[in-house]
Amino acid sequence: MADVAAEAHVSVKTVSRVVNHEPGVRPDTAERVRAVIERLGFRRHDGARLMRQGRTFTIALVVEDLANPFYSQIGAAVEREARIRQHQLITASAEGSPSRERAVIEALVGRRVDGIVVVPADESASSDAVLEASHTPIVYMDRPVRGTPRDTVLSDNQGGIRSAVEHLVAHGHRNIAFYGDDPAFWTARQRRDAFVATHEGLGLPSSPRVSMGPHTVGSVRETLIPWSAGPEPISAVITGNNRITLAVLLALRELRLPLSLVGFDDFELAALIDPPVTVVHQDPAAMGQKAAQQLFARLLGDESPAQTVVMPTRLIVRASGLRRAPLGR
Amino acid sequence: MADVAAEAHVSVKTVSRVVNHEPGVRPDTAERVRAVIERLGFRRHDGARLMRQGRTFTIALVVEDLANPFYSQIGAAVEREARIRQHQLITASAEGSPSRERAVIEALVGRRVDGIVVVPADESASSDAVLEASHTPIVYMDRPVRGTPRDTVLSDNQGGIRSAVEHLVAHGHRNIAFYGDDPAFWTARQRRDAFVATHEGLGLPSSPRVSMGPHTVGSVRETLIPWSAGPEPISAVITGNNRITLAVLLALRELRLPLSLVGFDDFELAALIDPPVTVVHQDPAAMGQKAAQQLFARLLGDESPAQTVVMPTRLIVRASGLRRAPLGR
């Protein structure tokens, strides 16, 4: 701390305030102190010393696709948590392939990263043996894995979908369809099951109409057409993620179908579409932060049993769910 | 290659085809071969051996904000190029701060990454001395730096803005405003200068109306109101990047101003807004790929003089630029 204070031309007390996130430090001063901490901190941790200590001050994040906004927000949050602790972050895309994920994790372990945050491609936990053998801490995100309990950070998928169904029903909808992602994904099944359970719990007249993906505009259109005609036409749609919301919006526009809609996942321009899209918001940045914090707790010696944290979701009401269904439906 | 062929249960010829991107290999086979290459490749490069060879098989990417889609697309492209060459990618956000960028680059050099791709926070090239001393290859992206010539990958900012102005003028617009980003950014100045030069080159009647940022919906509104009233009211707007496009769209909606618009940077839902937004598309994935390829060429011994590559932009015509201005303007 004295080194940092000297280099940043501030008092040790000021450095302490910055480190402990206490008030009373000007933003530009805090920025300067943090820059010095990073510079000095990193310098101390160079090559040979790291090897000797058996720590690399590097953590890793493995996701499906870094370009997807859901994962890039996770990435930014994990990188920030790493940076403020003077660690570096290696990122890798497994492209949804379990074999690629396994190869990537083996490589990361071989390079001796201190810990790994993974959004797993499936539930098989195929890297378990490698992780066990190397004692590399891991935190799973978004989807759990089978086998040995591991630290896991999930979204409240079921609560999110329930709030979507209840919102639509409260606004007069009785015939609602659900478009979910590929049921190979745990999250897709969770959301589907929550839709069916809420639908049944509310005693809605028709049987729940569910179409699972992977979806394209074409595959959505195929069921939208019959479901919006006939004796019990749907008046509203719930989607299982932001990609499907996009496909549904395009299909509704093509077919000129003015159905109500609640999407899972917020997206940047949801407020600019006509009508603005009501969504179930999950917070990937908060999930990433939580996962990284849990990983660092393990790196600092926390040996309590593996825990699963379920992060809340929130319904952001815009207008697309408000349209009242015609009377008599 | 023989090891890979044995482990993947294919012929050496097949491995060779996959490595050299030749046709004639089934996608699932190619995938399996690549997974084996990654697994074996990485294993060979573990700790001590890397230290001895002086190579870490790690490259780094430093950008402003990993959560911004422009940067996350770059990140995904660079990571892909690294992965297919059995390298890992460290990513870091400098949050637009030159001092943080410098600290991050020093830390990366201290950890002996093999090379760095940077979207620089400013043009000062403040890490030059560190890079020179360590002989770490660097490729700059999106913005150039002053001083020693370095490999640099840029977008054709000027050509992109010129095509936007010409598109609007061809559709009858004569009074066009430009909303640019903070002129501290080289790209913001490039785009502004291209707007003014094209405006003057076409001999448009009024003087060019330019408002530079940083912008909010409020700051856009402040000039939109006077500029869209008075004797020479504007009928169209060009923006300098995707964040400003969003601010302009929100301001136009609030003010109920039906102006034409061409935005710089495509965005995912541009086609769903009413009217669909015409944009100048730059390709961050292609830029990231190009930068990574250039870095790997240096790592393989390319010692030719530093080169600057300018990647083309493309006008994606939707509808927001097509509205003909009222006669007489």
Side-chain angles (χ1 to χ4, degrees):
Chain A
M1 278 209 182
D3 292 349
V4 172
E7 177 127 355
H9 306 294
V10 297
S11 68
V12 171
K13 180 72 202 156
T14 299
V15 175
S16 163
R17 284 201 177 110
V18 172
V19 169
N20 296 308
H21 302 285
E22 288 167 12
V25 183
R26 285 177 36 179
D28 57 336
T29 305
E31 164 74 14
R32 196 168 73 238
V33 170
R34 278 193 293 268
V36 170
I37 290 173
E38 286 191 9
R39 206 157 62 229
L40 294 183
F42 278 133
R43 265 189 203 148
R44 247 182 286 130
H45 304 142
D46 58 359
R49 172 120 186 239
L50 284 180
M51 297 296 281
R52 202 161 62 232
Q53 294 182 333
R55 284 283 290 276
T56 59
F57 293 85
T58 307
I59 65 169
L61 172 68
V62 181
V63 298
E64 182 181 327
D65 171 14
L66 290 167
N68 177 322
F70 180 75
Y71 298 116
S72 65
Q73 287 177 70
I74 290 172
V78 173
E79 194 268 336
R80 190 177 172 79
E81 291 302 307
R83 181 152 36 85
I84 62 180
R85 292 173 180 81
Q86 287 85 57
H87 282 62
Q88 291 182 345
L89 175 69
I90 292 177
T91 48
S93 296
E95 298 181 356
S97 149
S99 71
R100 190 177 289 273
E101 175 183 299
R102 190 183 162 158
V104 165
I105 290 177
E106 285 187 7
L108 290 165
V109 168
R111 299 280 287 277
R112 302 189 310 102
V113 295
D114 295 335
I116 309 181
V117 175
V118 179
V119 178
D122 65 7
E123 292 151 70
S124 68
S126 60
S127 309
D128 244 20
V130 178
L131 294 164
E132 285 289 353
S134 64
H135 304 287
T136 307
I138 191 162
V139 177
Y140 287 106
M141 278 191 66
D142 193 43
R143 309 158 191 165
V145 298
R146 287 188 292 263
T148 316
R150 301 284 186 190
D151 289 326
T152 307
V153 177
L154 305 173
S155 257
D156 182 10
N157 296 291
Q158 303 210 313
I161 290 292
R162 188 177 57 242
S163 69
V165 178
E166 290 178 352
H167 175 70
L168 288 169
V169 169
H171 286 86
H173 294 280
R174 292 291 174 270
N175 291 284
I176 306 167
F178 177 78
Y179 286 86
D181 201 354
D182 188 333
F185 294 116
W186 180 84
T187 44
R189 297 197 303 279
Q190 286 277 304
R191 294 170 196 170
R192 174 196 65 196
D193 294 351
F195 173 75
V196 172
T198 309
H199 194 284
E200 288 172 352
L202 291 170
L204 296 179
S206 58
S207 61
R209 275 159 280 193
V210 171
S211 171
M212 299 301 280
H215 275 304
T216 61
V217 177
S219 70
V220 168
R221 206 168 34 207
E222 266 173 38
T223 46
L224 265 185
I225 293 171
W227 285 351
S228 57
E232 291 276 3
I234 59 169
S235 62
V237 170
I238 293 172
T239 66
N241 66 31
N242 54 2
R243 302 280 140 182
I244 299 172
T245 304
L246 185 59
V248 167
L249 282 168
L250 289 167
L252 290 175
R253 171 165 294 193
E254 270 184 40
L255 299 170
R256 297 174 187 281
L257 272 174
L259 301 187
S260 291
L261 169 69
V262 178
F264 203 98
D265 290 332
D266 200 11
F267 53 98
E268 191 165 40
L269 297 180
L272 280 172
I273 291 174
D274 187 24
V277 181
T278 293
V279 297
V280 176
H281 174 60
Q282 56 178 348
D283 191 339
M287 292 171 73
Q289 182 181 39
K290 188 79 196 169
Q293 287 171 344
Q294 180 62 15
L295 187 68
F296 280 108
R298 295 301 180 190
L299 293 179
L300 289 171
D302 176 357
E303 297 190 342
S304 58
Q307 62 166 313
T308 293
V309 177
V310 178
M311 304 289 284
T313 57
R314 184 164 56 91
L315 190 73
I316 299 179
V317 176
R318 297 194 177 104
S320 68
L322 295 179
R323 192 189 290 117
R324 263 195 170 277
L327 288 174
R329 274 196 193 169
Chain B
M1 277 212 184
D3 292 350
V4 173
E7 177 127 355
H9 308 293
V10 297
S11 69
V12 171
K13 179 72 202 153
T14 299
V15 176
S16 161
R17 282 200 178 113
V18 172
V19 170
N20 297 309
H21 303 284
E22 287 168 14
V25 184
R26 284 176 38 178
D28 58 335
T29 306
E31 163 75 13
R32 197 168 73 238
V33 169
R34 277 191 294 265
V36 171
I37 289 173
E38 286 189 10
R39 207 156 62 231
L40 294 184
F42 279 134
R43 265 189 202 146
R44 246 182 287 130
H45 303 144
D46 58 359
R49 172 120 185 237
L50 283 181
M51 297 297 280
R52 205 162 59 234
Q53 294 181 334
R55 283 283 291 275
T56 59
F57 293 85
T58 306
I59 65 169
L61 173 68
V62 181
V63 298
E64 182 180 328
D65 171 15
L66 290 166
N68 177 321
F70 179 74
Y71 298 117
S72 65
Q73 287 177 69
I74 290 173
V78 172
E79 193 268 337
R80 191 179 171 79
E81 291 301 308
R83 182 154 33 86
I84 62 181
R85 292 174 179 82
Q86 286 85 58
H87 282 62
Q88 292 182 344
L89 176 68
I90 292 178
T91 48
S93 295
E95 299 182 354
S97 149
S99 71
R100 190 178 289 275
E101 176 184 298
R102 190 182 161 159
V104 165
I105 290 177
E106 285 187 7
L108 291 164
V109 168
R111 299 280 288 277
R112 302 190 309 101
V113 296
D114 296 335
I116 309 181
V117 175
V118 179
V119 178
D122 66 6
E123 290 151 71
S124 67
S126 60
S127 309
D128 244 21
V130 178
L131 294 163
E132 285 289 354
S134 64
H135 304 288
T136 308
I138 193 163
V139 177
Y140 287 106
M141 278 190 65
D142 193 42
R143 308 158 191 165
V145 298
R146 287 188 292 262
T148 316
R150 301 284 185 190
D151 289 327
T152 307
V153 178
L154 305 173
S155 257
D156 183 10
N157 296 290
Q158 303 211 313
I161 289 292
R162 189 177 56 243
S163 68
V165 178
E166 290 177 351
H167 175 70
L168 288 169
V169 169
H171 286 85
H173 294 280
R174 294 290 173 271
N175 290 284
I176 306 167
F178 177 78
Y179 286 87
D181 201 352
D182 187 333
F185 293 117
W186 180 84
T187 43
R189 296 197 303 277
Q190 286 276 305
R191 293 169 197 171
R192 174 196 64 195
D193 294 351
F195 172 74
V196 172
T198 310
H199 195 285
E200 289 174 351
L202 290 170
L204 296 179
S206 58
S207 61
R209 272 160 284 192
V210 170
S211 172
M212 300 300 281
H215 275 304
T216 62
V217 177
S219 70
V220 168
R221 205 168 33 207
E222 265 174 39
T223 45
L224 265 186
I225 293 172
W227 286 349
S228 56
E232 291 276 4
I234 58 170
S235 62
V237 170
I238 294 173
T239 66
N241 67 31
N242 54 2
R243 303 280 140 181
I244 299 173
T245 304
L246 185 59
V248 166
L249 283 167
L250 289 167
L252 290 175
R253 170 164 295 191
E254 269 184 41
L255 299 171
R256 299 174 186 281
L257 273 176
L259 302 186
S260 292
L261 170 68
V262 178
F264 203 97
D265 288 331
D266 200 10
F267 53 99
E268 192 167 40
L269 298 179
L272 280 173
I273 291 175
D274 184 26
V277 181
T278 293
V279 297
V280 176
H281 174 59
Q282 56 178 348
D283 191 339
M287 290 171 73
Q289 181 180 39
K290 188 79 197 170
Q293 288 171 343
Q294 179 63 14
L295 187 67
F296 279 108
R298 296 302 179 187
L299 294 179
L300 290 171
D302 176 358
E303 299 192 340
S304 59
Q307 62 166 313
T308 293
V309 177
V310 178
M311 306 288 285
T313 58
R314 185 163 56 90
L315 191 72
I316 301 180
V317 176
R318 298 197 176 101
S320 68
L322 294 180
R323 190 189 291 117
R324 262 196 172 275
L327 287 175
R329 271 194 195 172

